[in-house]
Amino acid sequence: MYLCAVKPNLTMKKILFVLVMLATLVFAGCKSSESSDEKAYSPFDSTSLDSTVSAGDDFFAWVNNKWLESNPIPADKASFGSFHTLDDNSLKTLRVSMEKASKENAAKGTNTQKVGDLWISGMDTLAIEKAGIEPIKPWLDKINAIGTSDDLIKTIAQMHRTYNFAMFTNWVGQDDKNSADVIMNMWQGGLGLPERDYYLAQDAQSKKIRTDYINHVKNVFVLMGVDEAKATTNANTIMTIETALAKASMDQVTMRNPNAIYHKMSVDELAKMTPNMNWKLYYTELQTPEFKTGVNVAQPEFYKALNGMVKSVKMDDWKTYLTYHWVDGVSPYLSSSFVSENFDFHSKKLNGIEQNKPRWKRVVESADFCLGEALGEEYVKTAFTPESKERMLVMVDNIKTAFGERIKTLDWMTDSTKEQALIKLSTFTVKIGYPDKWRDYSKLEIDNGPFVLNVIRGAEFEANRNYAKIGQPVDKTEWGMTPQTVNAYYNPSNNEIVFPAAILQPPFFDPKADDAVNYGGIGAVIGHEITHGFDDQGRMYDAKGNLQMWWKDKDNTNFVERANKVVEQFNNYCPLDSVCINGKLTLGENIADFGGITIAYQAYTMTEEFKAGKAIAGFTPQQRFFIGFGRIWAGQYRESAMRTQLLTNVHSPGKWRVNGTVVNIPEWYQAFGIKEGDKMYLPEADRAKIW
Ligand SMILES: [Zn+2]
């Protein structure tokens, strides 16, 4: 349920703006895996196209079918795509660093010692088996000793300090309405299933997942030595508590509106709203600095309901609930019976993954969480060159220029809003590769003792680091992702776009490839992140990163009308028989994909290569650009993983990120001569046009 899942250095808000979510927010779904030997890659290979499908009938299939055939989903993955191949490479590189560090006998307290000892403790399966649940006993005793509601909130704070978010969630980030101020955000949470609707939906599949979940909770108690009958009662108790929390939770679509989740108040006001909860005690135990400007309570209704539950739910039931969440959260780092049970539910039942990743990958991932930038420092020495950064900077500049040109010519926006949009565009900052300043891990203690305790200390270190930011000036040099992460993000509060070193590889970016492939790949990614500043959420933030409307009413109406067309289009794409894409949930990402490819294309037309118009292997620059775009989303899902993705993820599945986007691009029709009668053909009146 935690750790590798919601990476704490990546705030919830930023998560909404990342390029891709490789997995659902459960531990074992956390990306990566074995196999997938590096396939030979060539920048543009026309023989990889599937001649049995036409570009106009199914563009994604035409571009990717052959790749999909030769890249089946490995047994330890829920889905597999080009991202995962890069991710695997990243993990292999990190493994080499870790193994090397483990043999170096480095001085105590150095990063090398910590990286090496984490490897040793994680790979020492004999010690892990022998210890069983023993290392976490003190925590279980603490939960058992709860007597009063003050004890309860104190224990919850202690769990939250390790990123085990039972009952509710918090995170530290910039104030949406004053980006210079770093504040505490209180968020709904406390669920063991991925999302609120999993508790409330009445379809057969949802009911089955609930039955599986109850069974899983029961199994966890049995593993702890509780008898079957009591374990079953416990599981039902937890289901009752979580269903009540789910009912009080805000739905995902509503939460996409930044104003709907902005309710700043003082701690006194929060205490008045929820008198059964001792917030002063909670924050003292959390060891946060004093809040000078208040806290944002994102979902007040959730907290009001929780306030009632603190009294109405029996204390013993809360203790049962906390026990489960504590053990389930750390299960991946315990002995094999806990690891297997955790995998069986969170990965197999929820996502269809057949077998767990090899241990070394799980250990590398935990190191990526605990010591991410220490590993990153080593990673970039082998995986990043200054030349790549130079070429990226040129592309970012060109794409920004192209976006500016498009804004100026929009026929649906008034001049004064255009002026504001151009100001915002001009203030974008960009980070490429890795941070200028590396994180200081000197206060984190890692030894070759129990693996689970290392991971818990790693989580506490992260929590401390984040809580300490409250009330301090914003550190604009900070990165929300490690350099070895295959992803990218936009942070609206800083109006910045960030591209870690690991995404600067084929098929996204290839210094040896022609411009078409790079603009269609990483260019579309750059465009995607820039467009996030102007999608249905991002556009609500001004150039300074504050949630403040800078749009004229008329322009606002025009935007919403245009965005609604995208919502309708995606609502009609149904990857599974019974589940369609949620057009509203995925709107921001779909707009970003659409805007991204549009401006990347425009930037590409400004290059010498495009102007020369030379064909390669019989394909025009225009065609190679779109093929390059289609290729970055090569990938496939297991059915249950697809279902989880559709219900919980703000990103559309890869196939629709390609096909759902190109059908709105006039140049795509031109490039491949798509006409009426082709299956993907949309009459001009039905196409969306935003940026
Ligand atoms: Zn995105």
Side-chain angles (χ1 to χ4, degrees):
M1 221 331 252
Y2 81 134
L3 296 186
C4 146
V6 180
K7 288 205 178 174
N9 55 348
L10 193 68
T11 66
M12 293 248 181
K13 185 165 70 185
K14 282 181 193 162
I15 278 186
L16 300 175
F17 289 90
V18 301
L19 177 69
V20 63
M21 285 214 289
L22 286 162
T24 48
L25 300 182
V26 290
F27 169 80
C30 276
K31 54 186 184 165
S32 93
S33 144
E34 192 72 317
S35 80
S36 84
D37 301 309
E38 294 88 17
K39 301 261 176 337
Y41 171 84
S42 77
F44 182 77
D45 174 14
S46 58
T47 64
S48 69
L49 300 168
D50 181 359
S51 56
T52 66
V53 189
S54 86
D57 282 348
D58 187 340
F59 187 67
F60 177 87
W62 180 61
V63 173
N64 292 318
N65 265 357
K66 284 196 183 172
W67 190 95
L68 299 179
E69 270 163 34
S70 52
N71 289 278
I73 305 170
D76 62 354
K77 280 190 169 64
S79 59
F80 192 70
S82 50
F83 276 87
H84 297 94
T85 317
L86 298 192
D87 211 45
D88 281 347
N89 293 342
S90 232
L91 292 175
K92 284 177 194 158
T93 310
L94 301 184
R95 175 189 185 160
V96 173
S97 301
M98 290 193 79
E99 275 183 312
K100 188 165 159 265
S102 73
K103 289 176 190 142
E104 272 181 29
N105 246 326
K108 178 91 189 146
T110 56
N111 281 354
T112 310
Q113 173 264 317
K114 290 169 194 177
V115 169
D117 276 354
L118 190 59
W119 176 260
I120 291 168
S121 78
M123 295 305 288
D124 189 353
T125 47
L126 277 179
I128 292 170
E129 284 310 310
K130 201 167 153 229
I133 202 172
E134 204 53 40
I136 61 157
K137 272 272 168 62
W139 286 85
L140 297 173
D141 293 344
K142 223 184 279 187
I143 293 169
N144 253 325
I146 294 173
T148 65
S149 56
D150 274 1
D151 294 344
L152 177 66
I153 202 142
K154 223 167 129 174
T155 309
I156 285 163
Q158 288 162 359
M159 286 172 71
H160 287 182
R161 280 186 60 74
T162 72
Y163 280 101
N164 190 318
F165 286 110
M167 208 183 236
F168 58 92
T169 304
N170 71 53
W171 55 279
V172 171
Q174 285 158 273
D175 183 344
D176 258 355
K177 294 197 175 171
N178 175 12
S179 65
D181 198 13
V182 182
I183 60 167
M184 169 65 85
N185 291 274
M186 305 295 290
W187 206 264
Q188 65 190 26
L191 307 180
L193 287 170
E195 211 272 319
R196 136 195 211 274
D197 289 350
Y198 278 76
Y199 294 84
L200 311 176
Q202 288 306 315
D203 59 284
Q205 183 58 20
S206 301
K207 284 181 182 165
K208 182 181 178 299
I209 289 175
R210 289 199 286 272
T211 308
D212 288 343
Y213 179 54
I214 290 174
N215 202 37
H216 162 65
V217 177
K218 185 206 81 183
N219 290 345
V220 170
F221 280 106
V222 170
L223 285 177
M224 292 171 63
V226 176
D227 70 67
E228 285 274 330
K230 177 72 178 132
T232 306
T233 315
N234 286 353
N236 286 311
T237 299
I238 286 161
M239 195 60 182
T240 307
I241 292 178
E242 291 183 9
T243 306
L245 293 174
K247 281 184 183 153
S249 296
M250 199 182 263
D251 70 89
Q252 300 179 95
V253 169
T254 307
M255 285 194 291
R256 290 198 67 257
N257 176 359
N259 286 305
I261 49 172
Y262 189 86
H263 308 277
K264 207 172 150 190
M265 56 184 83
S266 66
V267 175
D268 284 343
E269 283 167 320
L270 171 60
K272 217 166 136 194
M273 185 176 86
T274 52
N276 298 336
M277 304 176 85
N278 185 343
W279 292 110
K280 293 228 159 90
L281 183 62
Y282 173 76
Y283 292 124
T284 304
E285 204 57 41
L286 211 53
Q287 299 173 28
T288 53
E290 196 194 330
F291 304 157
K292 296 190 185 105
T293 60
V295 15
N296 178 37
V297 181
Q299 300 89 5
E301 294 310 314
F302 174 85
Y303 280 90
K304 285 180 200 164
L306 184 59
N307 179 63
M309 286 172 69
V310 167
K311 279 269 146 68
S312 65
V313 173
K314 281 194 275 192
M315 196 56 82
D316 276 348
D317 291 350
W318 278 124
K319 286 156 73 168
T320 303
Y321 166 84
L322 294 185
T323 301
Y324 165 71
H325 278 283
W326 178 251
V327 176
D328 196 58
V330 297
S331 283
Y333 317 103
L334 294 175
S335 48
S336 55
S337 52
F338 287 93
V339 173
S340 304
E341 180 54 42
N342 196 267
F343 169 80
D344 183 71
F345 178 70
H346 293 291
S347 300
K348 201 172 192 173
K349 300 265 169 34
L350 275 178
N351 288 302
I353 302 173
E354 288 160 10
Q355 80 187 38
N356 207 347
K357 286 175 266 198
R359 172 160 281 275
W360 74 263
K361 281 196 178 173
R362 289 180 269 139
V363 174
V364 169
E365 282 174 352
S366 66
D368 191 42
F369 163 76
C370 298
L371 289 158
E373 288 197 8
L375 288 173
E377 212 174 333
E378 291 305 307
Y379 174 83
V380 297
K381 284 180 192 161
T382 55
F384 189 70
T385 62
E387 295 77 43
S388 297
K389 187 164 181 168
E390 276 311 305
R391 194 150 171 199
M392 274 293 283
L393 284 170
V394 170
M395 289 181 75
V396 170
D397 254 6
N398 291 349
I399 290 167
K400 269 171 74 177
T401 306
F403 199 14
E405 294 302 318
R406 289 196 72 89
I407 290 172
K408 286 179 203 157
T409 57
L410 291 177
D411 57 7
W412 56 270
M413 191 184 260
T414 60
D415 285 345
S416 67
T417 304
K418 279 183 186 173
E419 206 178 299
Q420 293 302 312
L422 289 167
I423 290 173
K424 179 165 180 180
L425 182 65
S426 71
T427 62
F428 261 77
T429 54
V430 54
K431 291 174 177 169
I432 295 169
Y434 56 91
D436 294 333
K437 187 178 83 188
W438 293 104
R439 190 158 299 163
D440 173 9
Y441 289 100
S442 56
K443 288 195 180 127
L444 169 59
E445 202 180 307
I446 299 286
D447 57 32
N448 58 14
F451 180 45
V452 65
L453 296 185
N454 275 334
V455 176
I456 292 171
R457 281 193 299 266
E460 281 179 323
F461 171 81
E462 264 303 299
N464 265 328
R465 200 179 66 77
N466 281 307
Y467 293 141
K469 291 180 205 164
I470 296 171
Q472 297 297 312
V474 177
D475 176 6
K476 293 210 170 168
T477 67
E478 195 190 358
W479 279 55
M481 279 179 186
T482 60
Q484 59 272 26
T485 308
V486 187
N487 214 329
Y489 68 88
Y490 168 67
N491 174 1
S493 296
N494 286 345
N495 200 27
E496 66 178 1
I497 47 176
V498 185
F499 305 93
I503 198 173
L504 305 181
Q505 300 178 62
F508 296 93
F509 176 73
D510 183 354
K512 295 191 289 292
D514 57 313
D515 281 334
V517 173
N518 281 322
Y519 275 88
I522 199 75
V525 172
I526 296 168
H528 173 103
E529 299 306 337
I530 293 178
T531 308
H532 269 317
F534 301 90
D535 72 15
D536 64 316
Q537 292 179 311
R539 76 187 183 96
M540 297 165 103
Y541 296 80
D542 65 14
K544 292 205 169 85
N546 292 325
L547 187 55
Q548 181 172 285
M549 213 45 181
W550 46 270
W551 292 60
K552 279 248 165 75
D553 282 352
K554 191 175 146 212
D555 299 316
N556 191 44
T557 312
N558 278 339
F559 179 91
V560 171
E561 206 175 279
R562 281 155 193 272
N564 280 343
K565 198 159 207 171
V566 178
V567 172
E568 276 168 41
Q569 287 180 345
F570 278 84
N571 277 341
N572 285 319
Y573 299 131
C574 302
L576 296 177
D577 274 352
S578 55
V579 200
C580 303
I581 295 177
N582 181 338
K584 280 190 172 157
L585 180 64
T586 55
L587 179 61
E589 294 300 331
N590 296 333
I591 291 176
D593 283 336
F594 181 19
I597 183 86
T598 305
I599 58 176
Y601 182 82
Q602 177 133 343
Y604 176 51
T605 63
M606 291 156 28
T607 63
E608 292 309 314
E609 176 187 300
F610 180 87
K611 288 177 194 155
K614 210 174 113 231
I616 296 180
F619 289 85
T620 65
Q622 216 175 18
Q623 291 171 331
R624 296 198 307 275
F625 170 88
F626 286 107
I627 293 168
F629 170 68
R631 190 147 297 165
I632 63 176
W633 296 112
Q636 49 200 334
Y637 300 76
R638 293 183 192 283
E639 191 177 322
S640 31
M642 174 65 94
R643 191 172 185 279
T644 307
Q645 160 111 7
L646 291 170
L647 296 177
T648 61
N649 202 310
V650 293
H651 302 84
S652 300
K655 176 172 176 166
W656 290 270
R657 294 187 77 160
V658 174
N659 286 358
T661 302
V662 294
V663 290
N664 290 317
I665 315 269
E667 292 83 357
W668 174 76
Y669 288 83
Q670 276 167 23
F672 300 98
I674 312 295
K675 51 188 181 321
E676 219 172 329
D678 291 323
K679 285 190 187 132
M680 285 176 64
Y681 178 85
L682 277 188
E684 270 182 53
D686 294 345
R687 295 178 202 163
K689 182 174 183 284
I690 306 180
W691 293 109

